[in-house]
Amino acid sequence: MNSRNWAVSVVVAICLLFTQSCATVTKSIPKDEFRKIPSIRLVRSASPDLLKPTAGSQAIALTGVFFGAIGGGIGGGLAAAAEIKNGKKLTEECNLPDFGELVMNQFCEEISVNKDDFPEIVIEKEPVSEEYIDTSNDYILVLGFNSLRVANSKGLTAATVLKLIDPSKKVISQKLFVYKSFEYKRCCKIKELEADKGKLLHEEYKYAAEKTTSKLLSHLHIGPK
């Protein structure tokens, strides 16, 4: 597909996925209305950097707090940069997969299994960037990946937003799902997750992708509730 065929309004919608994930209001579309949609284009945003806090990054953030709003902002920015650096190192050392790609592949697999309950679908597997412009009149289903973080005692946290946008560029269905290892009684100790080249962390990525897919598809009346 020509990358120049993406709409500005869709780009805006995707940007909102990153900036308003915590305030996302759940919207539902009735099952019969969903099935009446003739076709849908499925797209995804790029995966966020994995964040990994350490004693050092937390100390940076705490130090900034003591210097008021400006100091706090600077400290927070430095702490975030440190967490991104730590996350990239972990990703490289453990050869971690692209979380967004995992979810997208799982999503497509489930759609193929439940194709009778899903409108005709066109899948764009490559991430959509802010440079793409759409002039189509398609229904667009957007998978937006907002945050990805691993922390001691909490394990993996991954926030994903699903939005269904109609041809008039109105969001007619949306759902935020935040996967948290500890809520599923999974391993939450960083040392254990990182051991053996991240064996358990790889398993956690896969499990998180499966849970994310299941929760978001159930919002569209696909699969078990």
Side-chain angles (χ1 to χ4, degrees):
M1 166 189 160
N2 190 326
S3 63
R4 297 180 180 277
N5 290 334
W6 294 102
V8 173
S9 53
V10 174
V11 171
V12 172
I14 293 170
C15 291
L16 289 176
L17 293 177
F18 304 127
T19 59
Q20 298 181 359
S21 61
C22 293
T24 299
V25 176
T26 299
K27 290 184 179 182
S28 300
I29 180 172
K31 186 174 183 178
D32 58 344
E33 289 186 22
F34 179 70
R35 289 187 173 183
K36 289 178 182 178
I37 296 175
S39 65
I40 290 176
R41 181 173 292 146
L42 174 63
V43 302
R44 69 179 174 102
S45 69
S47 297
D49 291 316
L50 174 66
L51 301 180
K52 178 192 172 184
T54 63
S57 66
Q58 291 172 337
I60 291 172
L62 184 60
T63 300
V65 172
F66 292 115
F67 293 92
I70 295 177
I74 294 173
L78 291 174
E83 291 189 4
I84 290 174
K85 182 179 179 180
N86 298 335
K88 285 184 176 180
K89 181 180 179 182
L90 177 59
T91 299
E92 292 172 0
E93 290 179 345
C94 295
N95 193 28
L96 297 176
D98 182 307
F99 182 72
E101 186 175 3
L102 280 180
V103 174
M104 185 67 153
N105 290 340
Q106 183 72 26
F107 216 85
C108 294
E109 184 177 324
E110 291 298 322
I111 288 174
S112 67
V113 172
N114 297 280
K115 59 184 177 181
D116 291 339
D117 294 324
F118 216 92
E120 181 181 345
I121 190 161
V122 176
I123 299 168
E124 303 293 340
K125 287 200 171 184
E126 292 303 312
V128 173
S129 79
E130 295 179 14
E131 298 175 357
Y132 296 151
I133 298 174
D134 174 38
T135 56
S136 73
N137 291 314
D138 297 333
Y139 282 86
I140 299 178
L141 191 61
V142 184
L143 281 170
F145 302 99
N146 302 70
S147 64
L148 189 63
R149 195 169 191 262
V150 62
N152 209 26
S153 78
K154 293 186 177 180
L156 181 68
T157 300
T160 307
V161 176
L162 181 74
K163 289 196 177 188
L164 179 59
I165 304 168
D166 71 10
S168 69
K169 313 311 175 189
K170 177 184 177 182
V171 176
I172 57 176
S173 182
Q174 63 182 7
K175 173 72 174 178
L176 166 67
F177 175 68
V178 182
Y179 172 83
K180 300 175 183 178
S181 295
F182 68 88
E183 290 186 349
Y184 291 89
K185 302 186 185 305
R186 307 274 293 181
C187 177
C188 293
K189 296 182 179 179
I190 287 185
K191 285 187 177 181
E192 293 180 8
L193 289 168
E194 294 178 344
D196 196 13
K197 296 184 179 180
K199 180 181 178 181
L200 290 181
L201 190 52
H202 275 268
E203 292 179 7
E204 197 62 14
Y205 265 54
K206 181 180 179 182
Y207 186 79
E210 290 173 353
K211 285 297 179 183
T212 297
T213 300
S214 176
K215 292 293 184 179
L216 295 182
L217 279 177
S218 68
H219 183 67
L220 296 174
H221 315 290
I222 306 297
K225 296 295 182 183

